[in-house]
Amino acid sequence: MPRTDTPAPPRVRPPRPRPGIPVGLLLPAALGLVLLTLPLIGLLARTPWADLPRRLTEPGVLTALRLSLLTATLATLFCLLLGVPLAWLLARVRFPGRRLVRALVTVPLVLPPVVGGVALLLVFGRRGLLGGWLDATFGITLPFTTAGVVLAEAFVAMPFLVIAVEGALRGADQRYEEAAATLGAGRWTTFTHVTVPLVAPGLAAGAVLCWARALGEFGATITFAGNYPGRTQTMPLAVYLALETDLEAAVVLSLILLTVSVAILAALRDRWITSP
């Protein structure tokens, strides 16, 4: 008789038990969450919601908001102009001292902003290394001006752009650039038509982070540009001043900054936060 062997049914592995939550980590995690969210809840609880429309239309609030949006946008454009080539240089060119240059680029991330403002003042002040020459030659004075605000914000925000763009450049497939070069495209054409579209998501994310950091800058701005309403008083500086005279105005300005921060995180969630 012919042999009729039937294949053995496949073995079904039992599901692996998931490890439980360590009790020793649950309490510190909960306390950390409370520490991060409780101040935000307190800010929302103290917001004068009934009086919010009138507060938002006050001249001082609108002036600080308008100046903050203007200077943060100009600082971001300035960072794009200088930061994108710097990121490309760090990502694509090998040269002596590249690690040192990368470390210098990231120094403003860990440098206290007030120290950054003092450093800017020593360089671009009227008696600074370059400030005296700029004033005598071109009549340009940066400290305690709106241009000084833009410079201070760009100083502290540019590392966010450079790091994001450099990471995107390192992760981009260089074969497309090589193919463009073999087809006769020049370096500038390859950069503008191939490289930039390849890293566009990272470039956009870096620009948004740079803009948000510039919008919230305080220490370097007040040290280098001062706190003059209508000229250098941005929203963080207006919050600082309002704490001494009008707490509700400080809460309203803080709420605006909080809303912007949450909107930025929500817009960048898919890129910077991964979930299973």
Side-chain angles (χ1 to χ4, degrees), residues 5 30 73 86 109 151 168 178 203 206 223:
D5 293 337
T73 302
L86 179 57
L109 292 176
L151 182 61
E178 296 171 355
L203 179 61
T223 306

Side-chain angles (χ1 to χ4, degrees), residues 143-167:
F144 310 106
T145 63
T146 304
V149 176
V150 174
L151 182 61
E153 292 178 348
F155 174 77
V156 298
M158 188 180 296
F160 291 88
L161 175 70
V162 174
I163 291 174
V165 176
E166 183 188 358

Side-chain angles (χ1 to χ4, degrees), residues 181-196:
T182 57
L183 293 175
R187 293 184 177 180
W188 179 251
T189 302
T190 302
F191 176 76
T192 56
H193 290 74
V194 179
T195 305
V196 172

Side-chain angles (χ1 to χ4, degrees), residues 166-233:
E166 183 188 358
L169 285 169
R170 289 181 177 275
D173 192 348
Q174 299 187 35
R175 291 178 297 179
Y176 295 100
E177 298 174 343
E178 296 171 355
T182 57
L183 293 175
R187 293 184 177 180
W188 179 251
T189 302
T190 302
F191 176 76
T192 56
H193 290 74
V194 179
T195 305
V196 172
L198 278 176
V199 301
L203 179 61
V208 172
L209 287 174
C210 177
W211 184 83
R213 180 63 185 88
L215 186 68
E217 165 53 29
F218 173 79
T221 302
I222 196 172
T223 306
F224 181 64
N227 188 12
Y228 297 98
R231 188 169 63 179
T232 65
Q233 188 181 91

